[in-house]
Amino acid sequence: MNRLTRLARTALAVGAVGLTLSGCIVESGRAEQSRSIGGTTACPVDPDPTVRGTVRIGWQEIPNGDLVVKDTGLLRTCLPNVNIVWSKFASGGDVIQAFGANSLDVGLLGSAPAAKALSAPLNIDMKVIWVQDRIGAAESLVARGDGIKTVADLRGKRIAVPFASTAHYSLLTALEKAGVTDAQVINLAPDAIRGAWNGGQIDATYIWEPTLSQLKGTVLTDSAKVAEQGAPTYDLEGARSDFVRDNPAFLKVWSAAQGWAANLLNTDPNKAAEHIAGQLGVPVDQVLTQIKGYAYFDAKTQAGPDHLGGQLGADIRRTAEFLLQQGQVQGVGPAQHYTDGVYAAGAQGAAG
């Protein structure tokens, strides 16, 4: 185990680590959570009234199609007899805990948490059902003050990041590539990072939007550059395997709604930004700046060989191999295990 790994595993948090699962459930349709009661945005496919029951969906404050779907109330329009329960989570680490506790059906998590969930010792029975975005400059390593200009300058510094997140994976990659082995890596949730930053308790952080835009400092690297170093990261949608098995009709319509949102982000970013801004409570101009740091994919692209239809399983396994080197997982399964952890049928059905 290298020194960086020991520090990462033994560092003490200086604030709240994240949301607990209790108390974070928010019922869909409440005015403070969705500005639409459905019906104003047409369903991109024929609505399916035969699908019934309650579906628990976990979301995060990340500007992608999930928030567009949520804000428009599109799932209520497309699936009028389904009760959608939205739950807000601070990070993908919290989402995989909820999957393990059987308290969530579908949820947003990064490619690093997905790799961790599919690997030992967690071995969570889940599947990746959608690529919400490929992360670029929207996740960055930023330093406070004027004395830190490069990643190599982080030797001996205190760096905050939500553990088991894509940012954590990218941070460890960047530090390894720069030869930094003695940084103190601290586990903090985004809200706690803001407080620690303002209080001068940390020297740097690797974090995503919208927290990133709220911090004034020097950007040392970002996830687009880390991807060029061989470590691409994604925001993914995952689901428990039993839910996927039992609900193909729901997932086909859900995928069509997400595909519509991805198309809106790519073809009418101003309109998409209005919906995202409504959910995040920030100005539209700020959202427009944020979404430039991501790439979004429609259903046809999702179903293709570069994503759910092929390459994604291999990308997740490579992430797991890196996490194994860093002591973040205890074992990596065979390639087929990660291929089997990807569900493409929903995207394929939505693509037509």
Side-chain angles (χ1 to χ4, degrees):
M1 184 184 300
N2 63 35
R3 180 165 175 76
L4 174 59
T5 300
R6 290 197 298 272
L7 287 169
R9 296 182 69 181
T10 60
L12 295 176
V14 296
V17 173
L19 295 178
T20 57
L21 296 182
S22 61
C24 69
I25 301 296
V26 180
E27 288 190 3
S28 174
R30 285 188 175 182
E32 68 272 23
Q33 290 299 319
S34 178
R35 301 179 306 150
S36 169
I37 59 172
T40 57
T41 300
C43 185
V45 293
D46 291 336
D48 190 345
T50 68
V51 182
R52 299 179 179 275
T54 295
V55 178
R56 303 163 297 178
I57 301 177
W59 66 285
Q60 296 186 52
E61 290 186 335
I62 297 175
N64 57 35
D66 226 16
L67 293 184
V68 176
V69 170
K70 184 173 184 292
D71 193 66
T72 58
L74 194 57
L75 292 179
R76 290 192 300 278
T77 303
C78 295
L79 298 162
N81 292 319
V82 176
N83 176 38
I84 304 294
V85 179
W86 292 96
S87 307
K88 180 181 176 181
F89 289 85
S91 70
D94 292 338
V95 170
I96 61 176
Q97 288 183 38
F99 283 153
N102 196 26
S103 61
L104 191 66
D105 301 311
V106 177
L108 182 71
L109 72 167
S111 45
K116 189 170 185 178
L118 291 168
S119 303
L122 295 180
N123 292 317
I124 291 176
D125 193 12
M126 61 156 281
K127 294 187 183 297
V128 174
I129 61 174
W130 193 258
V131 179
Q132 285 289 359
D133 55 72
R134 184 179 64 230
I135 304 170
E139 278 190 13
S140 297
L141 175 58
V142 59
R144 295 179 71 254
D146 299 325
I148 304 173
K149 301 295 186 182
T150 69
V151 178
D153 293 335
L154 290 172
R155 292 182 175 89
K157 303 299 184 181
R158 292 164 60 86
I159 312 168
V161 66
F163 276 20
S165 66
T166 52
H168 189 196
Y169 170 54
S170 296
L171 171 63
L172 295 180
T173 300
L175 293 176
E176 181 183 64
K177 296 294 185 181
V180 177
T181 60
D182 61 348
Q184 185 178 359
V185 181
I186 302 168
N187 182 19
L188 289 182
D191 286 347
I193 284 173
R194 283 193 292 267
W197 179 279
N198 293 331
Q201 297 167 294
I202 56 176
D203 302 298
T205 181
Y206 207 123
I207 195 60
W208 52 80
E209 296 289 4
T211 303
L212 177 62
S213 295
Q214 299 166 2
L215 308 179
K216 304 301 181 183
T218 302
V219 175
L220 307 180
T221 190
D222 60 44
S223 293
K225 295 182 177 67
V226 175
E228 293 173 358
Q229 295 177 306
T233 51
Y234 304 88
D235 286 315
L236 308 171
E237 204 81 26
R240 293 191 342 271
S241 292
D242 60 330
F243 179 84
V244 172
R245 181 194 65 227
D246 296 339
N247 296 278
F250 170 85
L251 290 171
K252 180 178 179 179
V253 176
W254 179 92
S255 298
Q258 292 290 342
W260 173 85
N263 282 332
L264 192 69
L265 279 158
N266 288 325
T267 62
D268 192 352
N270 289 293
K271 186 64 175 178
E274 289 178 10
H275 290 298
I276 293 171
Q279 288 295 307
L280 296 181
V282 300
V284 172
D285 287 348
Q286 183 175 326
V287 175
L288 285 169
T289 298
Q290 293 172 7
I291 63 179
K292 292 177 181 177
Y294 298 93
Y296 306 100
F297 311 106
D298 61 18
K300 183 177 180 180
T301 305
Q302 296 270 348
D306 291 338
H307 297 99
L308 298 172
Q311 183 63 32
L312 185 61
D315 287 342
I316 294 173
R317 188 174 191 271
R318 278 198 297 273
T319 302
E321 289 171 338
F322 180 85
L323 294 177
L324 179 65
Q325 294 172 6
Q326 297 297 328
Q328 299 299 312
V329 300
Q330 294 179 6
V332 176
Q336 190 61 43
H337 172 69
Y338 297 89
T339 299
D340 292 343
V342 176
Y343 175 82
Q348 290 166 350

